[in-house]
Amino acid sequence: MFYYSIGNSKTGFIKDQVRLNPFIVKTKMPSRELDIQDLKISFSTPRGKLTAVNGISFHLNQGETLALVGESGCGKTVSALSILRLLPEPPAEILSGKILFSGQNLLSLNAKALQNLRGRSISMIFQDPMTSLNPVLTIGEQMAETLLRHTPMSRPEALQKSADLLGKVEIPSPKEKLKHYPHQLSGGMRQRVMIAMALACSPRVLIADEPTTALDVLIQAQILELLGNLKRETGMSILIITHDLGVVAEIAQRVLIMYAGEIVESGPAQALLDDPRHPYTRGLIASVPKLGALKKTGTRLEEIPGNVPSLDQRPSGCAFHPRCNWAIEKCKTQKPPLREGEGQRQWRCHLEPGSL
Amino acid sequence: MNKGKGPALLEVRDLKKHFLPRKRFLQEQAPPVRAVDGISFTLQAGETLGLVGESGCGKSTAARTLLRLIEPTSGQISFCGKNLTDIPETEMRALRREMQIIFQDPYSSVNPARRIGRILQEPFEIHGFQNKKEKTEKAAQLLERVGLPPEHFNRYPHELSGGQLQRVGIARAIALNPKLVVADEPVSALDVSIQAQIINLLSDLKEQLDISYLFISHDMGVVEYFCDRVAVMYFGKIVELANSEQIYNSPQHPYTTALLNAIPNLESGRIKQEAPIKGDIPDPGNPPQGCAFQSRCPLKEKQCAEEIPALKEIAPGHYAACFLKQ
Ligand SMILES: Nc1ncnc2c1ncn2[C@@H]1O[C@H](COP(=O)(O)OP(=O)(O)OP(=O)(O)O)[C@@H](O)[C@H]1O
Ligand SMILES: Nc1ncnc2c1ncn2[C@@H]1O[C@H](COP(=O)(O)OP(=O)(O)OP(=O)(O)O)[C@@H](O)[C@H]1O
Ligand SMILES: [Mg+2]
Ligand SMILES: [Mg+2]
């Protein structure tokens, strides 16, 4: 039994709403699959030790889809990779924090235990499919290898299962594709191969780093539906990194907004999108081109002025203040407090609620 | 398709690119993959043409082929009045300066062993700028222009995030003030606020430098905002071509309609009107007889399984390849 569910089609969603008992939703605390506490990650560079992730805390509930959104370079991928200890250490270093998976701190596991976890209990879809697929092995060889590592089966069985998985992610003539090398597939197909590989061992937690960025909206809708179905069938939890707020609206129950290595806002997806509390979140939502709205009136897209601060130049006080229209004096020097609002809303800002 | 504003900047006629799978020992030669299977369109100077369509339908292949980064199987490409398919390599090299590409995948399009500053000097080097100070200055300007902090000059690609690196790709493409920029999903890897900056930047460059774009994207919102005309591709062919108002307000091909219906919407993401269409995507190595979209088409009729519909003008400037609309 899970307490949240998703569906892309109208019918799917409404059905689930009915099926859920609102009483249970309100009273039973969902169990936490992942609980990340005060995670701090730095990189050693020629310019010194730079903090990429600055003490973030969040959790992923069982059966939930949680979206992680934020500016390019804010540390989303680094945070995600650290969960499975996939960062190159050094230069990366986890300075502090805990990553609890079913109560166990992943940061204190040895290499072998981690290896067992990867791909089986927690699986990851990487942001860049080309660098994570081996260019000299065929798709079939790579997929079969993943399957064989975690599940006892014969090679022909592994190949058959690989073909089935490719079919599930809507790749045409999957048997043929097994013989292809990565460069022979289109960008979107490579991304779907990665998705198929991540789903191979029915993981409990799926970490998906921009899983649909290279896909057309139609395939994207199908993949999101597939993830939704898998989630319903297996109770899988999903941490999805995306910059597509439409996707967030469609599949996530909760959202984390990250800026310059910190989580600046979090809350239930629809509420957060309808009524952003942090100026950065507001800017993000405003810069999405709305269908039909801006039509050729010569208007520019709304943009957040200024640049992403690089790691060694992160501003003091609130890291967003140099780009913030509402910044006041104390934003320059003091860390903003964590504010809490009704319905699990949290954000970090000096401004009084309602000032935006 | 020519708007009649004088000669087109780019004119593509019946362009094809077929890939022949490698023959395996003792096996019959597999049929070719018809990645791009006869597309025709024109692009006027100063115009932005959007190219959208299914993942794997041949958009990137079309882009690479028309810049002759890979050799076309057949067809004509004329750029600035010159036929690219039969000019010597020396002349082609000079023309390359006028036509640039921004790639979909930022990591595989830069040399990982070079610093960003060096990568940004490459275009100047290839085209004969020698003065070291000038090159460095120009590279630094480019970096600023695409919104990257100056410290990135001395970094290596792996030290940048995906989005940061894509900006480097954009900077490199605009370095030599080209006439045509083929942008193959240039903003897919960028978050929305940076995406807006880059789209605004591309618009500014278009105004200032008279650049024309072939803009490949699957973000239907961005395409509507940024493109004057839109070509919708499916399975190696253009199935609909019209100005963006026509495409978005009165789509004629059922595939276009399906695409528009699948756009995730910020406000009403959860109350999508229709479920995504079902059905198998055809195999490029074994194309169906008749219309390639028939396996997923909700409006399929008998004729669709027998003949391939041609792209025909069904309203002024609005082309569609569907029997039901012709
Ligand atoms: N190996 C590394 N060495 C030094 N710095 C690094 C390294 N890997 C990442 N960084 C830095 O850490 C920061 C966070 O990078 P990360 O890849 O997590 O960004 P992101 O939020 O995923 O961005 P995007 O949306 O562009 O993918 C960036 O400033 C990046 O330059
Ligand atoms: N070098 C190659 N050898 C064989 N087949 C290829 C090669 N390059 C591309 N293809 C095939 O050609 C078709 C078109 O690929 P292309 O990369 O042009 O698609 P695309 O429209 O850009 O897709 P995406 O939106 O996913 O990037 C695909 O079926 C792909 O597998
Ligand atoms: Mg990333
Ligand atoms: Mg492509």
Side-chain angles (χ1 to χ4, degrees):
Chain A
M1 172 80 206
F2 8 99
Y3 309 101
Y4 300 89
S5 47
I6 66 164
N8 308 74
S9 62
K10 185 175 187 175
T11 45
F13 183 67
I14 295 212
K15 233 181 6 232
D16 293 338
Q17 290 259 303
V18 174
R19 208 189 301 140
L20 287 171
N21 178 340
F23 186 67
I24 295 179
V25 177
K26 278 198 193 117
T27 54
K28 236 185 180 171
M29 279 289 284
S31 68
R32 292 182 173 189
E33 280 288 45
L34 272 179
D35 196 350
I36 282 125
Q37 297 170 3
D38 194 33
L39 182 66
K40 200 165 183 173
I41 304 167
S42 71
F43 284 99
S44 305
T45 72
R47 296 170 309 283
K49 205 156 147 183
L50 304 176
T51 309
V53 174
N54 195 7
I56 61 169
S57 301
F58 66 90
H59 63 272
L60 174 67
N61 290 328
Q62 205 252 308
E64 170 186 53
T65 300
L66 176 66
L68 177 56
V69 177
E71 191 121 299
S72 171
C74 70
K76 304 181 296 292
T77 299
V78 168
S79 307
L81 289 174
S82 73
I83 296 174
L84 283 172
R85 294 295 286 276
L86 290 168
L87 286 171
E89 296 177 47
E93 189 186 336
I94 298 182
L95 298 176
S96 71
K98 279 188 185 154
I99 298 174
L100 301 174
F101 173 65
S102 314
Q104 190 177 28
N105 189 358
L106 299 187
L107 294 182
S108 55
L109 286 187
N110 63 25
K112 184 143 193 301
L114 276 169
Q115 188 60 38
N116 269 328
L117 216 71
R118 279 180 207 139
R120 183 154 47 183
S121 303
I122 307 180
S123 217
M124 175 138 187
I125 301 170
F126 296 95
Q127 179 167 14
D128 182 29
M130 206 46 187
T131 50
S132 31
L133 286 171
N134 187 335
V136 300
L137 292 181
T138 62
I139 300 299
E141 285 163 339
Q142 309 193 35
M143 291 190 74
E145 192 194 315
T146 310
L147 285 167
L148 290 169
R149 200 181 316 137
H150 291 295
T151 340
M153 56 168 82
S154 71
R155 218 180 155 73
E157 277 168 347
L159 284 170
Q160 180 56 47
K161 174 119 198 253
S162 305
D164 295 346
L165 286 162
L166 289 184
K168 271 200 166 174
V169 292
E170 314 278 344
I171 286 188
S173 49
K175 274 232 160 72
E176 274 304 305
K177 291 291 181 310
L178 291 181
K179 298 178 206 144
H180 282 49
Y181 290 90
H183 77 272
Q184 293 172 314
L185 303 185
S186 80
M189 286 180 190
R190 289 198 291 261
Q191 203 164 28
R192 278 176 280 165
V193 169
M194 295 302 300
I195 296 173
M197 281 169 77
L199 297 176
C201 301
S202 313
R204 275 173 56 190
V205 172
L206 177 68
I207 301 172
D209 195 352
E210 308 272 8
T212 59
T213 26
L215 302 179
D216 63 276
V217 284
L218 202 48
I219 302 274
Q220 169 171 290
Q222 284 163 351
I223 297 281
L224 296 180
E225 196 180 53
L226 168 77
L227 291 181
N229 290 341
L230 276 171
K231 222 180 73 157
R232 256 189 298 273
E233 284 162 22
T234 65
M236 177 171 78
S237 320
I238 304 176
L239 173 64
I240 183 173
I241 299 176
T242 178
H243 58 257
D244 188 331
L245 297 176
V247 169
V248 173
E250 198 137 301
I251 72 161
Q253 281 81 55
R254 281 191 309 127
V255 195
L256 308 170
I257 308 283
M258 202 167 171
Y259 188 81
E262 287 169 17
I263 290 173
V264 296
E265 180 162 2
S266 68
Q270 205 61 52
L272 185 144
L273 292 172
D274 289 342
D275 174 25
R277 303 279 164 86
H278 194 283
Y280 174 63
T281 315
R282 208 188 121 109
L284 272 188
I285 294 169
S287 44
V288 180
K290 317 270 176 313
L291 273 180
L294 287 149
K295 207 53 228 154
K296 299 291 164 314
T297 42
T299 41
R300 291 164 71 82
L301 288 172
E302 222 171 290
E303 49 179 83
I304 301 175
N307 294 327
V308 191
S310 59
L311 292 188
D312 47 351
Q313 303 209 318
R314 291 220 163 133
S316 57
C318 169
F320 188 59
H321 85 258
R323 305 176 69 189
C324 180
N325 285 335
W326 290 270
I328 48 177
E329 214 38 50
K330 72 176 159 189
C331 301
K332 295 181 189 156
T333 51
Q334 293 172 30
K335 278 264 158 253
L338 181 68
R339 294 183 181 275
E340 304 212 9
E342 259 170 56
Q344 298 180 310
R345 302 287 306 264
Q346 290 190 332
W347 68 103
R348 285 180 189 278
C349 186
H350 284 300
L351 300 175
E352 287 307 315
S355 342
L356 291 195
Chain B
M1 272 170 250
N2 195 315
K3 279 186 184 167
K5 288 184 205 152
L9 176 69
L10 176 72
E11 187 160 357
V12 176
R13 286 273 152 264
D14 205 22
L15 184 68
K16 290 186 181 165
K17 176 67 193 180
H18 296 176
F19 293 104
L20 212 54
R22 189 153 31 125
K23 190 181 170 313
R24 281 167 187 260
F25 185 59
L26 290 183
Q27 277 179 11
E28 265 184 61
Q29 172 68 54
V33 172
R34 297 159 175 269
V36 174
D37 202 18
I39 62 170
S40 306
F41 64 88
T42 56
L43 181 65
Q44 301 296 333
E47 186 183 38
T48 298
L49 176 66
L51 187 57
V52 302
E54 190 95 354
S55 162
C57 72
K59 303 179 295 295
S60 299
T61 305
R64 277 160 214 246
T65 311
L66 68 85
L67 296 181
R68 267 192 61 194
L69 296 176
I70 50 179
E71 287 305 315
T73 305
S74 67
Q76 269 111 51
I77 308 153
S78 101
F79 178 70
C80 296
K82 293 213 172 64
N83 191 344
L84 296 194
T85 36
D86 58 29
I87 55 170
E89 188 49 41
T90 45
E91 209 174 326
M92 189 62 215
R93 215 171 298 145
L95 274 177
R96 284 243 158 82
R97 188 176 164 166
E98 305 287 351
M99 39 201 319
Q100 294 290 328
I101 184 163
I102 303 167
F103 288 105
Q104 182 170 6
D105 180 353
Y107 286 97
S108 58
S109 58
V110 295
N111 183 341
R114 289 191 171 172
R115 293 176 195 269
I116 302 304
R118 182 74 211 290
I119 290 169
L120 291 179
Q121 291 173 34
E122 283 166 9
F124 302 110
E125 279 158 17
I126 295 166
H127 292 281
F129 286 76
Q130 294 308 338
N131 185 323
K132 190 157 187 297
K133 185 158 169 285
E134 200 186 342
K135 272 189 319 198
T136 317
E137 259 168 33
K138 284 192 157 145
Q141 281 167 10
L142 282 172
L143 203 61
E144 195 189 337
R145 190 150 214 186
V146 294
L148 288 173
E151 311 85 74
H152 281 49
F153 202 87
N154 288 319
R155 302 222 174 136
Y156 287 100
H158 74 269
E159 292 178 87
L160 268 57
S161 73
Q164 291 169 327
L165 200 57
Q166 188 58 296
R167 292 174 177 234
V168 173
I170 292 168
R172 195 172 51 172
I174 60 176
L176 298 166
N177 300 344
K179 283 202 177 75
L180 171 69
V181 171
V182 175
D184 191 353
E185 306 199 20
V187 293
S188 305
L190 304 181
D191 56 273
V192 283
S193 64
I194 301 307
Q195 175 175 297
Q197 288 185 350
I198 296 289
I199 295 288
N200 286 341
L201 171 68
L202 292 176
S203 306
D204 293 344
L205 292 167
K206 175 178 164 169
E207 297 299 313
Q208 293 158 8
L209 308 170
D210 220 7
I211 296 180
S212 310
Y213 295 106
L214 179 65
F215 187 83
I216 301 174
S217 176
H218 54 260
D219 187 324
M220 302 299 284
V222 170
V223 168
E224 183 189 30
Y225 173 74
F226 189 59
C227 300
D228 304 311
R229 283 191 306 146
V230 181
V232 182
M233 245 179 114
Y234 190 77
F235 206 63
K237 291 195 164 68
I238 292 179
V239 296
E240 186 160 1
L241 176 65
N243 69 41
S244 47
E245 281 90 344
Q246 289 168 322
I247 292 278
Y248 283 82
N249 296 337
S250 55
Q252 295 298 313
H253 197 283
Y255 175 62
T256 313
T257 312
L259 265 189
L260 294 175
N261 281 340
I263 302 174
N265 189 321
L266 246 185
E267 282 87 34
S268 55
R270 293 168 191 276
I271 40 167
K272 191 60 76 47
Q273 294 311 308
E274 281 162 63
I277 50 166
K278 293 278 175 244
D280 285 335
I281 299 158
D283 171 12
N286 181 21
Q289 206 186 351
C291 176
F293 191 59
Q294 57 176 297
S295 54
R296 303 163 83 191
C297 185
L299 309 173
K300 182 189 168 183
E301 285 182 358
K302 189 160 164 284
Q303 190 186 10
C304 307
E306 292 159 357
E307 285 170 66
I308 298 179
L311 189 66
K312 287 194 181 144
E313 189 163 17
I314 50 168
H318 195 155
Y319 299 78
C322 179
F323 291 123
L324 297 156
K325 304 295 163 101
Q326 290 172 356

